Amino acid sequence: GVQEADILPYAQALYQALLLPAREEGIIPAEGELSFILDAPFQGIPMAMLHDGQQYLIESYGISNALRSQQSATQKLESDRALVAGLSEASPSFGDPLVPSQLQPLADTEFEVQGIEKYLSVRVLLNEAFTASRLEREADDDYQVVHISTHGQFSSDPDQTFLMAWDELIDMKQMYRIFQDERSETGIDLLVLSACQTAKGDERSALGMAGIVVQAGARSTVASLWLVDSASSAVLMEEFYKGLSSGMSKSEALRQAQLVLLNSTVFNHPFYWAPFIFAEGGG
């Protein structure tokens, strides 16, 4: 695999080109919150892993990606009610022609669900209970947090974009129906997509999952830029919800969860912690 030392020269060069001039001019503080509005070529690069020569950006800043220039404030959770759906076993949807043949079930999804249950009041749809129609029906029940732990693919081609439920793939049209919340004033405050990935070779879709989610009506999302090891994801997600339940903002909770992996002995490589991004829409 790629060693951390192989990545650092690129992470440092990007920092020097993108952020160092602003740091030297005093425009960017030494720590706090940074929100990036990224052009397409940069959307596939996690800003968290830019490196100033001493440490990664995530060690000093909470980081968010604003999908529009008028971003909302990074809020704390208003409710602890969460709908959690996930697949930990092979299911009929794995046989769909759109699904890559090498895709494996996410064995650690059940641990991920247990981690979330420690901190939120959770309604769980696991394996056979996680059908496309059931998710749509349950999402109607005014949950402010929806967490989906399943394979998905996001592409600039809508026909190549899907989430995997037990019985079938959820296409983009159905995603809009599920996440569009016209039933209440609050709507979905946070949608977390665990284990989804961008279609190979599709540079325009790197923030596609976040974009779809925010366009559909969710105010903010946590998603990953590439398919991550499911054991490290489970650790990160538990730490993320632990932070939220203690009153942290969403970007700070994600930062602290990423730091837990960065400071661990097993998951300290940027592969494990860097791809998770927090994105929010307009205010």
Side-chain angles (χ1 to χ4, degrees), residues 198-256:
T198 296
K200 281 201 174 86
D202 189 345
E203 292 176 5
R204 289 185 298 158
S205 71
L207 285 181
M209 63 188 82
I212 289 168
V213 165
V214 173
Q215 284 167 21
R219 288 202 290 278
S220 59
T221 182
V222 170
S224 58
L225 292 173
W226 57 75
L227 188 58
V228 191
D229 171 84
S230 63
S232 60
S233 288
V235 173
L236 180 131
M237 290 301 173
E238 178 171 344
E239 292 294 331
F240 172 63
Y241 287 108
K242 180 180 176 182
L244 284 180
S245 72
S246 71
M248 289 180 191
S249 70
K250 295 166 196 163
S251 67
E252 180 61 18
L254 181 59
R255 181 176 93 91
Q256 292 298 335

Side-chain angles (χ1 to χ4, degrees), residues 41-202:
F42 294 102
Q43 288 182 354
I45 302 169
M47 294 293 111
M49 63 178 289
L50 267 56
H51 198 282
D52 66 5
Q54 301 295 319
Q55 58 182 10
Y56 292 105
L57 213 57
I58 196 69
E59 296 182 73
S60 299
Y61 300 97
I63 294 170
S64 63
N65 289 268
L67 297 173
R68 294 189 284 271
S69 57
Q70 180 197 0
Q71 86 251 28
S72 57
T74 303
Q75 298 288 348
K76 300 176 182 181
L77 272 194
E78 295 168 15
S79 163
D80 71 345
R81 289 185 72 236
L83 176 62
V84 179
L87 292 184
S88 64
E89 301 170 0
S91 72
S93 64
F94 276 79
D96 190 284
L98 280 178
V99 175
S101 57
Q102 76 277 13
L103 220 51
Q104 296 296 313
L106 299 162
D108 292 287
T109 288
E110 293 186 35
F111 296 109
E112 190 166 299
V113 171
Q114 289 165 11
I116 301 167
E117 284 178 315
K118 291 180 185 176
Y119 301 105
L120 297 182
S121 174
V122 171
R123 173 90 172 105
V124 177
L125 305 178
L126 189 63
N127 294 326
E128 292 97 329
F130 174 22
T131 63
S133 60
R134 182 96 179 266
L135 178 66
E136 188 170 347
R137 201 164 62 243
E138 293 282 353
D140 264 3
D141 195 22
D142 209 19
Y143 290 98
Q144 283 202 300
V145 180
V146 176
H147 180 108
I148 302 179
S149 180
T150 185
H151 287 299
Q153 176 174 283
F154 290 80
S155 166
S156 51
D157 176 0
D159 294 334
Q160 300 291 317
T161 295
F162 60 84
L163 287 173
M164 291 177 68
W166 175 268
D167 53 338
E168 60 184 347
L169 303 188
I170 299 171
D171 64 17
M172 198 187 289
K173 197 179 292 183
Q174 193 171 9
M175 282 184 223
Y176 275 102
R177 285 208 309 272
I178 292 169
F179 304 137
Q180 194 102 52
D181 202 324
E182 297 162 348
R183 302 167 298 280
S184 72
E185 290 179 15
T186 51
I188 295 174
D189 183 39
L190 174 66
L191 176 64
V192 179
L193 294 172
S194 179
C196 297
Q197 63 183 327
T198 296
K200 281 201 174 86
D202 189 345

